[in-house]
Amino acid sequence: MMNIDFRYSRIAIACLAVALGGCAADRIHNEGMQLIESGYAEEGIAKLAQAKNMKSDSAELRKDWLIERQKYVDQEIRTARDLLSKKKWVNTKIHFQNVLKIEAENVAAIQGVQELAASQKAEVKLDEAIRKIGSFDYEGAGKLVHDVLAGNPS
């Protein structure tokens, strides 16, 4: 019979677990990069974050996660700003929210959501002013337009 020293087997198992964990992290990282290249940035970034967390000592995995996340955030902010200028309210909100899902404290996205709300309120007030002009209520219409121009659409 073979006499097994369990101290060495535990070390071997621990080494194997570390090696397999590293392989899994690399596989998940590669899946994330492929998802991003295929146009599924949000899902890909989630995979990169998962890989980074599995292999926290890897500067390469952290770098890729940070770079891809920032590229996605920048693109979403640009898209949201463009849609905001075109008064595409629903899609604007979606893109700002996409950023906030990844970076809850993103100042540009928070300000964008606030600007969106103010723009929507201003548009409602201006529509109301147009109706008042149609009913010859020029004073009421003037007050609404004044509020909007003063930045107080509420």
Side-chain angles (χ1 to χ4, degrees):
M1 274 209 170
M2 190 190 286
N3 189 4
I4 300 173
D5 187 345
F6 288 105
R7 287 178 297 170
Y8 295 116
S9 62
R10 286 184 185 150
I11 293 171
I13 290 171
C15 289
L16 182 60
V18 168
L20 291 176
C23 291
D26 290 337
R27 182 183 49 77
I28 291 170
H29 171 266
N30 291 338
E31 288 174 15
M33 295 303 283
Q34 288 172 354
L35 283 166
I36 291 167
E37 289 172 18
S38 298
Y40 299 98
E42 201 169 330
E43 295 88 344
I45 292 166
K47 289 277 189 187
L48 294 180
Q50 182 183 357
K52 170 193 69 85
N53 292 337
M54 290 174 73
K55 199 173 173 183
S56 60
D57 62 335
S58 172
E60 184 71 21
L61 296 183
R62 181 168 173 70
K63 175 190 69 89
D64 285 350
W65 170 71
L66 286 169
I67 288 170
E68 294 302 327
R69 185 182 71 167
Q70 193 59 51
K71 285 183 348 190
Y72 176 73
V73 164
D74 291 346
Q75 180 59 47
E76 288 296 290
I77 294 289
R78 275 193 305 276
T79 300
R81 289 264 166 228
D82 181 54
L83 292 167
L84 182 61
S85 72
K86 295 175 181 172
K87 298 183 181 182
K88 307 275 187 191
W89 308 132
V90 173
N91 290 332
T92 298
K93 187 173 185 177
I94 289 168
H95 288 279
F96 281 133
Q97 287 175 337
N98 287 345
V99 171
L100 293 172
K101 280 188 248 178
I102 292 176
E103 290 182 6
E105 302 295 320
N106 185 285
V107 174
I110 292 168
Q111 289 174 342
V113 169
Q114 293 168 345
E115 187 178 335
L116 170 62
S119 295
Q120 289 173 309
K121 287 179 183 178
E123 186 165 290
V124 168
K125 289 288 185 181
L126 291 174
D127 288 345
E128 189 178 337
I130 290 169
R131 284 192 293 283
K132 286 189 179 282
I133 289 171
S135 63
F136 304 104
D137 181 3
Y138 300 116
E139 187 176 329
K143 182 185 177 332
L144 290 170
V145 170
H146 179 269
D147 286 349
V148 169
L149 292 175
N152 184 21
S154 55

